Amino acid sequence: MRLGVCYYPEHWPQANWAADARHMADTGITRVRIGEFAWSRVEPEPGRFDWGWLDKAIEVLHDAGLGVILGTPTATPPKWLVDQMPDMVAVDEQGRKRDFGSRRHYCFSHPGYREQAGRITRAYAERYGNHPAVVMWQTDNEYGCHDTVISYSDAARLAFRDWLSDRYKTIDALNSAWGNVFWSMEYRSFDEVDLPNLTVTEANPAHWLAFRRFSSDQVVAFDSAQVDILRQLSPGRDVMHNAMGFYTDYDHHDLGRQLDCVMWDSYPLGFLEMFRFSDADKRDYVRQGHPDIAAFHHDLYRGCAADGRWGVIEQQPGPVNWARNNPAPLPGMVRLWTLEAMAHGAELVSYFRWRQAPFAQEQMHAGLLRPDGKAAPGLGEAAKASADIAAILEAGGPANGEPAKEAAIIFSYEAEWVTATQSQGEDLSALWANFTAYSELRKLGLNVDIVAPGTDLNGYAMVVLPCLPIVADGLAEQLASFSGQIIIGPRSGSKTAEFSIPDNLAPGPLQAIFPAQVSRSESLRAGVTHQGDGWAITRWLDHLESDAERELVSDDGMVACWKSANMRYCATWPEGEVMAVIAARAAHDAGLAAVPLPEGMRLRKAGKLSFLFNYRAEPQALPEAVQGQMVLGDRLLPAAGVAVLRIG
């Protein structure tokens, strides 16, 4: 695994560049990402290019032995371009334009902007496509950041109508698929279909699902145009894009299939603060991040990549600037996050950013250096991680062995689109059902892969569907031939591909493998529970008509888990103690050697090595069940400590 850093030479005097480059190399950094926000400097006026400064920056980095990851600048179109095409900007759900003055001010559906994005991408690729310093390309930056995938512009409306025509062929087919006879919503032609915002009350959920699918396809098509240009003009270089945390507005599986690798931007403290973690988690992990935030995304994006190639292109090195509160990491966490990415198979961890900017929107976002050029705390941890990586590789690290295949979670982005459109209860998100199920599996010390429907399941001992409302064609047949343990979560198989209830009721196609019908479902308000033996039914309950075994029954007779052969149906929300019990029983039946871990400790097995990470703010001893020759660390892990053991 390599280390990298994000650098913005246009922010600093040229006299600093060579010293910065040498300092990067001395720290153990070998890759530098540049250029993704530089359109106004590269093309200050329409058609007039100023390449001199970027030529110089690339040469300076190359002379220091650093490989350049060059980003296309399409996330930040310049003011002159917006003035030329004022309708290129996205429009929010309330019909308001999202104008120039920050970034991501474009609509994916605007044909004029698509043409301009291709033009600047081609200019970059023609200039640097065969430069020996350029080892990788990044398309754009963080598709969808600031909620910019879904646009309600005129361009989006026209493109959506064309998309619908291609999908349904006739307006009668669309009316039938969507159930538009309800509330007299039938259309006479595709030209009558508007976007689903600004309706009096909720729009048809099938309309919303179609618009989400369309919006995702627009992102993928926008990216594909850049990928094609880069592959043509810069052969032999990898092309990647940087995804974000807990973000689902486009299908990352579709995007990943056309990239060489998928990168993501890891900000564990910011995500802990901004997303739906408990007050206890936010207190206990305030300077560490929840112990499953980073790993969940490592495993998610590895599963999105066509060949399983992934990395972290932006790693938090200190306080960020964009969360409600922005604490500094506990000493040791930057190193821990780096080595944890290695344990999960990353090929790169790149820190954001080299030097903290003293101006503009991100001036409070820490870097490896302070604004005055002196070392920030993250710099020493990056250097220490570089030395640790060398020691781990020498001991036969992840590069010399495949990770253990133990449990697979099947996740679909449209599952989240379904629960976001029709949650049927507060905060009942498919994404978070997947996260909480993942967390319970990892507390057992299991390796967990997160895969798309249709992924080859050969070699896994357990497969989990935490919440999969739409069951893809062929998945039931694939699971029927799977010999390991299967856990089916609530709402799975509850919707058809066009967002209606299946004729045979939920779990729909999964009835072919699990003998049950969901007769009714209910969401439960906070505080309403059905208590079992050390566990409780909370938030959701599917009532089943089934001859399957009632494996977990609450004190008042409600069934939390049904069992038939090698399959279990979790009828309540898959989180907390109830999921812990179900997962532990399935792991036992699968023959997996579960290792229950102390609170805040996580284990990842890679090749012949076991990695252990202590996310707690106090020391913890390794479980006795974890044995091996110590490569790194000690059996008493300090706060933010890492241990690596060689097995056998």
Side-chain angles (χ1 to χ4, degrees), residues 513-557:
I513 60 171
F514 193 86
Q517 274 189 325
V518 177
S519 59
R520 72 181 186 275
S521 299
E522 55 178 324
S523 53
L524 309 175
R525 66 177 300 141
V528 176
T529 65
H530 300 280
Q531 196 66 43
D533 183 12
W535 52 265
I537 293 170
T538 61
R539 307 224 294 151
W540 185 272
L541 180 58
D542 281 338
H543 295 265
L544 271 60
E545 295 177 351
S546 178
D547 293 328
E549 175 190 349
R550 301 181 177 211
E551 187 175 41
L552 294 181
V553 182
S554 68
D555 296 342
D556 58 355

Short mmCIF file of all heavy atoms in Angstrom, two decimals, residues 513-557:
data_model
loop_
_atom_site.label_atom_id
_atom_site.label_comp_id
_atom_site.label_asym_id
_atom_site.label_seq_id
_atom_site.Cartn_x
_atom_site.Cartn_y
_atom_site.Cartn_z
N ILE A 513 -37.44 -19.72 -1.33
CA ILE A 513 -36.44 -20.36 -0.48
C ILE A 513 -36.81 -20.32 1.00
O ILE A 513 -36.31 -21.12 1.78
CB ILE A 513 -35.04 -19.73 -0.68
CG1 ILE A 513 -35.06 -18.23 -0.33
CG2 ILE A 513 -34.53 -19.96 -2.09
CD1 ILE A 513 -33.69 -17.60 -0.28
N PHE A 514 -37.69 -19.39 1.37
CA PHE A 514 -38.09 -19.31 2.78
C PHE A 514 -39.62 -19.39 2.85
O PHE A 514 -40.32 -18.54 2.29
CB PHE A 514 -37.61 -18.00 3.42
CG PHE A 514 -37.74 -18.01 4.93
CD1 PHE A 514 -36.72 -18.54 5.71
CD2 PHE A 514 -38.88 -17.53 5.56
CE1 PHE A 514 -36.84 -18.59 7.10
CE2 PHE A 514 -39.01 -17.58 6.93
CZ PHE A 514 -37.99 -18.11 7.71
N PRO A 515 -40.16 -20.40 3.56
CA PRO A 515 -41.60 -20.66 3.53
C PRO A 515 -42.38 -19.71 4.43
O PRO A 515 -42.70 -20.04 5.58
CB PRO A 515 -41.68 -22.11 4.04
CG PRO A 515 -40.51 -22.24 4.99
CD PRO A 515 -39.42 -21.38 4.38
N ALA A 516 -42.71 -18.55 3.92
CA ALA A 516 -43.42 -17.57 4.75
C ALA A 516 -44.06 -16.51 3.89
O ALA A 516 -43.62 -16.25 2.76
CB ALA A 516 -42.45 -16.92 5.74
N GLN A 517 -45.11 -15.91 4.43
CA GLN A 517 -45.69 -14.69 3.88
C GLN A 517 -45.77 -13.66 5.00
O GLN A 517 -46.12 -13.99 6.14
CB GLN A 517 -47.12 -14.93 3.37
CG GLN A 517 -47.22 -15.43 1.95
CD GLN A 517 -48.67 -15.41 1.47
OE1 GLN A 517 -49.60 -15.66 2.23
NE2 GLN A 517 -48.86 -15.10 0.20
N VAL A 518 -45.42 -12.41 4.67
CA VAL A 518 -45.57 -11.32 5.63
C VAL A 518 -47.02 -10.83 5.53
O VAL A 518 -47.41 -10.23 4.52
CB VAL A 518 -44.57 -10.19 5.35
CG1 VAL A 518 -44.80 -9.04 6.33
CG2 VAL A 518 -43.14 -10.70 5.47
N SER A 519 -47.78 -11.10 6.55
CA SER A 519 -49.20 -10.73 6.52
C SER A 519 -49.41 -9.26 6.82
O SER A 519 -50.36 -8.64 6.32
CB SER A 519 -49.98 -11.58 7.52
OG SER A 519 -49.48 -11.39 8.84
N ARG A 520 -48.54 -8.67 7.63
CA ARG A 520 -48.59 -7.23 7.88
C ARG A 520 -47.26 -6.80 8.48
O ARG A 520 -46.53 -7.61 9.06
CB ARG A 520 -49.76 -6.84 8.77
CG ARG A 520 -49.62 -7.22 10.24
CD ARG A 520 -50.86 -6.80 11.04
NE ARG A 520 -50.69 -7.02 12.47
CZ ARG A 520 -50.92 -8.15 13.11
NH1 ARG A 520 -51.32 -9.21 12.41
NH2 ARG A 520 -50.75 -8.25 14.42
N SER A 521 -46.98 -5.52 8.34
CA SER A 521 -45.76 -4.94 8.91
C SER A 521 -46.16 -3.72 9.71
O SER A 521 -47.08 -2.99 9.33
CB SER A 521 -44.78 -4.53 7.80
OG SER A 521 -44.39 -5.64 7.05
N GLU A 522 -45.43 -3.48 10.79
CA GLU A 522 -45.70 -2.28 11.59
C GLU A 522 -44.38 -1.66 12.02
O GLU A 522 -43.40 -2.36 12.30
CB GLU A 522 -46.56 -2.62 12.81
CG GLU A 522 -46.01 -3.71 13.70
CD GLU A 522 -46.89 -3.96 14.92
OE1 GLU A 522 -47.47 -2.98 15.45
OE2 GLU A 522 -47.00 -5.13 15.35
N SER A 523 -44.36 -0.33 12.05
CA SER A 523 -43.22 0.39 12.61
C SER A 523 -43.59 0.81 14.02
O SER A 523 -44.74 1.16 14.31
CB SER A 523 -42.84 1.59 11.74
OG SER A 523 -43.95 2.42 11.50
N LEU A 524 -42.60 0.77 14.90
CA LEU A 524 -42.82 0.99 16.33
C LEU A 524 -42.14 2.27 16.77
O LEU A 524 -40.95 2.47 16.48
CB LEU A 524 -42.28 -0.20 17.13
CG LEU A 524 -42.74 -1.59 16.69
CD1 LEU A 524 -42.03 -2.66 17.50
CD2 LEU A 524 -44.26 -1.72 16.82
N ARG A 525 -42.84 3.10 17.49
CA ARG A 525 -42.25 4.34 17.96
C ARG A 525 -41.23 4.04 19.06
O ARG A 525 -41.24 2.98 19.67
CB ARG A 525 -43.31 5.33 18.45
CG ARG A 525 -44.05 4.89 19.69
CD ARG A 525 -45.02 5.96 20.16
NE ARG A 525 -44.32 7.18 20.46
CZ ARG A 525 -44.77 8.40 20.18
NH1 ARG A 525 -45.93 8.55 19.58
NH2 ARG A 525 -44.08 9.45 20.52
N ALA A 526 -40.35 4.99 19.32
CA ALA A 526 -39.34 4.84 20.36
C ALA A 526 -40.01 4.54 21.70
O ALA A 526 -41.00 5.16 22.07
CB ALA A 526 -38.50 6.11 20.47
N GLY A 527 -39.47 3.56 22.40
CA GLY A 527 -40.01 3.17 23.70
C GLY A 527 -40.99 2.03 23.64
O GLY A 527 -41.30 1.42 24.67
N VAL A 528 -41.52 1.72 22.44
CA VAL A 528 -42.42 0.58 22.29
C VAL A 528 -41.58 -0.63 21.90
O VAL A 528 -40.96 -0.66 20.83
CB VAL A 528 -43.49 0.85 21.22
CG1 VAL A 528 -44.36 -0.39 21.01
CG2 VAL A 528 -44.35 2.04 21.62
N THR A 529 -41.52 -1.63 22.76
CA THR A 529 -40.69 -2.81 22.52
C THR A 529 -41.46 -4.07 22.89
O THR A 529 -42.45 -4.03 23.63
CB THR A 529 -39.39 -2.76 23.35
OG1 THR A 529 -39.72 -2.84 24.74
CG2 THR A 529 -38.61 -1.49 23.08
N HIS A 530 -40.97 -5.16 22.35
CA HIS A 530 -41.42 -6.49 22.76
C HIS A 530 -40.17 -7.18 23.30
O HIS A 530 -39.26 -7.52 22.54
CB HIS A 530 -42.03 -7.26 21.59
CG HIS A 530 -43.23 -6.57 20.99
ND1 HIS A 530 -44.48 -6.65 21.54
CD2 HIS A 530 -43.35 -5.78 19.89
CE1 HIS A 530 -45.34 -5.95 20.80
NE2 HIS A 530 -44.67 -5.40 19.80
N GLN A 531 -40.13 -7.40 24.61
CA GLN A 531 -38.90 -7.82 25.27
C GLN A 531 -38.70 -9.33 25.17
O GLN A 531 -39.63 -10.11 25.39
CB GLN A 531 -38.94 -7.41 26.74
CG GLN A 531 -37.59 -7.45 27.43
CD GLN A 531 -36.63 -6.41 26.87
OE1 GLN A 531 -37.02 -5.27 26.62
NE2 GLN A 531 -35.39 -6.83 26.65
N GLY A 532 -37.48 -9.72 24.83
CA GLY A 532 -37.10 -11.12 24.85
C GLY A 532 -36.05 -11.37 25.91
O GLY A 532 -35.86 -10.55 26.82
N ASP A 533 -35.35 -12.49 25.82
CA ASP A 533 -34.34 -12.87 26.79
C ASP A 533 -33.02 -12.20 26.44
O ASP A 533 -32.18 -12.75 25.73
CB ASP A 533 -34.18 -14.40 26.80
CG ASP A 533 -33.18 -14.87 27.85
OD1 ASP A 533 -32.78 -14.05 28.71
OD2 ASP A 533 -32.78 -16.05 27.78
N GLY A 534 -32.84 -10.96 26.95
CA GLY A 534 -31.62 -10.21 26.66
C GLY A 534 -31.64 -9.48 25.35
O GLY A 534 -30.62 -8.94 24.92
N TRP A 535 -32.79 -9.43 24.70
CA TRP A 535 -32.92 -8.72 23.43
C TRP A 535 -34.35 -8.15 23.36
O TRP A 535 -35.19 -8.48 24.20
CB TRP A 535 -32.66 -9.63 22.22
CG TRP A 535 -33.47 -10.90 22.24
CD1 TRP A 535 -33.07 -12.11 22.73
CD2 TRP A 535 -34.82 -11.07 21.78
NE1 TRP A 535 -34.09 -13.03 22.62
CE2 TRP A 535 -35.17 -12.43 22.03
CE3 TRP A 535 -35.77 -10.24 21.21
CZ2 TRP A 535 -36.42 -12.95 21.71
CZ3 TRP A 535 -37.02 -10.75 20.88
CH2 TRP A 535 -37.32 -12.09 21.13
N ALA A 536 -34.60 -7.31 22.37
CA ALA A 536 -35.94 -6.73 22.25
C ALA A 536 -36.25 -6.46 20.78
O ALA A 536 -35.36 -6.17 19.97
CB ALA A 536 -36.04 -5.44 23.05
N ILE A 537 -37.53 -6.58 20.46
CA ILE A 537 -38.04 -6.14 19.16
C ILE A 537 -38.27 -4.64 19.24
O ILE A 537 -39.01 -4.16 20.11
CB ILE A 537 -39.35 -6.86 18.82
CG1 ILE A 537 -39.10 -8.36 18.60
CG2 ILE A 537 -40.02 -6.23 17.60
CD1 ILE A 537 -40.37 -9.19 18.48
N THR A 538 -37.63 -3.88 18.36
CA THR A 538 -37.78 -2.42 18.35
C THR A 538 -37.93 -1.93 16.92
O THR A 538 -37.45 -2.56 15.97
CB THR A 538 -36.55 -1.73 18.98
OG1 THR A 538 -35.39 -2.07 18.22
CG2 THR A 538 -36.34 -2.17 20.42
N ARG A 539 -38.61 -0.84 16.77
CA ARG A 539 -38.65 -0.02 15.54
C ARG A 539 -39.46 -0.65 14.40
O ARG A 539 -40.11 0.07 13.66
CB ARG A 539 -37.24 0.33 15.06
CG ARG A 539 -36.40 0.96 16.16
CD ARG A 539 -35.62 2.12 15.70
NE ARG A 539 -34.60 1.77 14.74
CZ ARG A 539 -34.15 2.59 13.80
NH1 ARG A 539 -34.65 3.80 13.70
NH2 ARG A 539 -33.21 2.22 12.98
N TRP A 540 -39.42 -1.96 14.20
CA TRP A 540 -40.13 -2.58 13.07
C TRP A 540 -40.49 -4.01 13.44
O TRP A 540 -39.74 -4.69 14.16
CB TRP A 540 -39.24 -2.59 11.84
CG TRP A 540 -39.92 -3.10 10.59
CD1 TRP A 540 -40.00 -4.41 10.17
CD2 TRP A 540 -40.64 -2.34 9.62
NE1 TRP A 540 -40.71 -4.48 9.00
CE2 TRP A 540 -41.11 -3.24 8.63
CE3 TRP A 540 -40.93 -0.98 9.49
CZ2 TRP A 540 -41.86 -2.82 7.53
CZ3 TRP A 540 -41.66 -0.56 8.39
CH2 TRP A 540 -42.11 -1.46 7.42
N LEU A 541 -41.62 -4.49 12.93
CA LEU A 541 -41.98 -5.89 13.12
C LEU A 541 -42.78 -6.38 11.92
O LEU A 541 -43.84 -5.84 11.59
CB LEU A 541 -42.81 -6.06 14.40
CG LEU A 541 -43.26 -7.50 14.73
CD1 LEU A 541 -42.07 -8.44 14.84
CD2 LEU A 541 -44.09 -7.53 16.00
N ASP A 542 -42.23 -7.40 11.26
CA ASP A 542 -42.95 -8.13 10.22
C ASP A 542 -43.67 -9.30 10.88
O ASP A 542 -43.05 -10.10 11.60
CB ASP A 542 -41.98 -8.69 9.17
CG ASP A 542 -41.53 -7.65 8.16
OD1 ASP A 542 -42.24 -6.64 7.97
OD2 ASP A 542 -40.46 -7.86 7.54
N HIS A 543 -44.98 -9.41 10.65
CA HIS A 543 -45.75 -10.55 11.13
C HIS A 543 -45.83 -11.57 10.00
O HIS A 543 -46.29 -11.26 8.90
CB HIS A 543 -47.16 -10.11 11.53
CG HIS A 543 -47.17 -9.15 12.69
ND1 HIS A 543 -47.35 -9.56 14.00
CD2 HIS A 543 -47.00 -7.80 12.74
CE1 HIS A 543 -47.31 -8.51 14.80
NE2 HIS A 543 -47.10 -7.42 14.06
N LEU A 544 -45.37 -12.79 10.28
CA LEU A 544 -45.28 -13.82 9.25
C LEU A 544 -46.33 -14.91 9.45
O LEU A 544 -46.66 -15.27 10.60
CB LEU A 544 -43.90 -14.48 9.26
CG LEU A 544 -42.80 -13.84 8.40
CD1 LEU A 544 -42.53 -12.40 8.83
CD2 LEU A 544 -41.52 -14.67 8.44
N GLU A 545 -46.85 -15.40 8.35
CA GLU A 545 -47.60 -16.65 8.33
C GLU A 545 -46.65 -17.71 7.81
O GLU A 545 -46.22 -17.66 6.65
CB GLU A 545 -48.84 -16.52 7.43
CG GLU A 545 -49.85 -15.51 7.94
CD GLU A 545 -51.03 -15.33 6.99
OE1 GLU A 545 -50.96 -15.88 5.86
OE2 GLU A 545 -52.00 -14.65 7.36
N SER A 546 -46.26 -18.66 8.68
CA SER A 546 -45.20 -19.58 8.30
C SER A 546 -45.22 -20.81 9.18
O SER A 546 -45.61 -20.75 10.36
CB SER A 546 -43.84 -18.89 8.42
OG SER A 546 -42.78 -19.78 8.09
N ASP A 547 -44.77 -21.93 8.61
CA ASP A 547 -44.56 -23.15 9.38
C ASP A 547 -43.12 -23.26 9.85
O ASP A 547 -42.74 -24.29 10.44
CB ASP A 547 -44.90 -24.38 8.51
CG ASP A 547 -46.38 -24.45 8.18
OD1 ASP A 547 -47.19 -24.00 9.01
OD2 ASP A 547 -46.72 -24.93 7.07
N ALA A 548 -42.30 -22.22 9.61
CA ALA A 548 -40.91 -22.25 10.04
C ALA A 548 -40.82 -22.22 11.56
O ALA A 548 -41.78 -21.85 12.27
CB ALA A 548 -40.15 -21.05 9.45
N GLU A 549 -39.66 -22.60 12.07
CA GLU A 549 -39.42 -22.60 13.51
C GLU A 549 -39.40 -21.17 14.05
O GLU A 549 -38.78 -20.28 13.46
CB GLU A 549 -38.08 -23.27 13.81
CG GLU A 549 -37.66 -23.22 15.27
CD GLU A 549 -36.23 -23.67 15.49
OE1 GLU A 549 -35.62 -24.22 14.54
OE2 GLU A 549 -35.70 -23.46 16.60
N ARG A 550 -40.07 -20.97 15.18
CA ARG A 550 -40.06 -19.66 15.85
C ARG A 550 -38.85 -19.64 16.78
O ARG A 550 -38.94 -20.07 17.94
CB ARG A 550 -41.37 -19.45 16.60
CG ARG A 550 -42.59 -19.52 15.68
CD ARG A 550 -43.87 -19.29 16.44
NE ARG A 550 -45.01 -19.29 15.52
CZ ARG A 550 -46.13 -18.60 15.68
NH1 ARG A 550 -46.26 -17.83 16.77
NH2 ARG A 550 -47.10 -18.66 14.81
N GLU A 551 -37.75 -19.12 16.30
CA GLU A 551 -36.50 -19.25 17.03
C GLU A 551 -36.36 -18.26 18.18
O GLU A 551 -35.86 -18.60 19.25
CB GLU A 551 -35.30 -19.10 16.08
CG GLU A 551 -33.98 -19.40 16.75
CD GLU A 551 -32.81 -19.37 15.79
OE1 GLU A 551 -32.76 -18.47 14.92
OE2 GLU A 551 -31.93 -20.23 15.92
N LEU A 552 -36.77 -17.01 17.96
CA LEU A 552 -36.71 -16.00 19.01
C LEU A 552 -38.12 -15.44 19.21
O LEU A 552 -38.67 -14.80 18.31
CB LEU A 552 -35.75 -14.87 18.65
CG LEU A 552 -34.26 -15.20 18.54
CD1 LEU A 552 -33.46 -13.95 18.20
CD2 LEU A 552 -33.73 -15.82 19.82
N VAL A 553 -38.69 -15.67 20.40
CA VAL A 553 -40.05 -15.23 20.69
C VAL A 553 -40.01 -14.34 21.93
O VAL A 553 -39.40 -14.69 22.95
CB VAL A 553 -40.98 -16.43 20.93
CG1 VAL A 553 -42.42 -15.95 21.18
CG2 VAL A 553 -40.94 -17.38 19.74
N SER A 554 -40.65 -13.20 21.85
CA SER A 554 -40.65 -12.26 22.97
C SER A 554 -41.56 -12.75 24.09
O SER A 554 -42.36 -13.69 23.91
CB SER A 554 -41.10 -10.87 22.50
OG SER A 554 -42.47 -10.89 22.14
N ASP A 555 -41.46 -12.11 25.22
CA ASP A 555 -42.25 -12.50 26.38
C ASP A 555 -43.75 -12.42 26.10
O ASP A 555 -44.54 -13.15 26.71
CB ASP A 555 -41.91 -11.61 27.58
CG ASP A 555 -40.47 -11.78 28.04
OD1 ASP A 555 -39.85 -12.80 27.68
OD2 ASP A 555 -39.96 -10.88 28.74
N ASP A 556 -44.14 -11.50 25.20
CA ASP A 556 -45.57 -11.37 24.88
C ASP A 556 -45.95 -12.08 23.59
O ASP A 556 -46.99 -11.81 23.01
CB ASP A 556 -45.98 -9.90 24.85
CG ASP A 556 -45.18 -9.09 23.84
OD1 ASP A 556 -44.24 -9.64 23.24
OD2 ASP A 556 -45.49 -7.89 23.66
N GLY A 557 -45.08 -12.98 23.11
CA GLY A 557 -45.44 -13.86 22.01
C GLY A 557 -45.12 -13.37 20.61
O GLY A 557 -45.50 -14.01 19.63
#
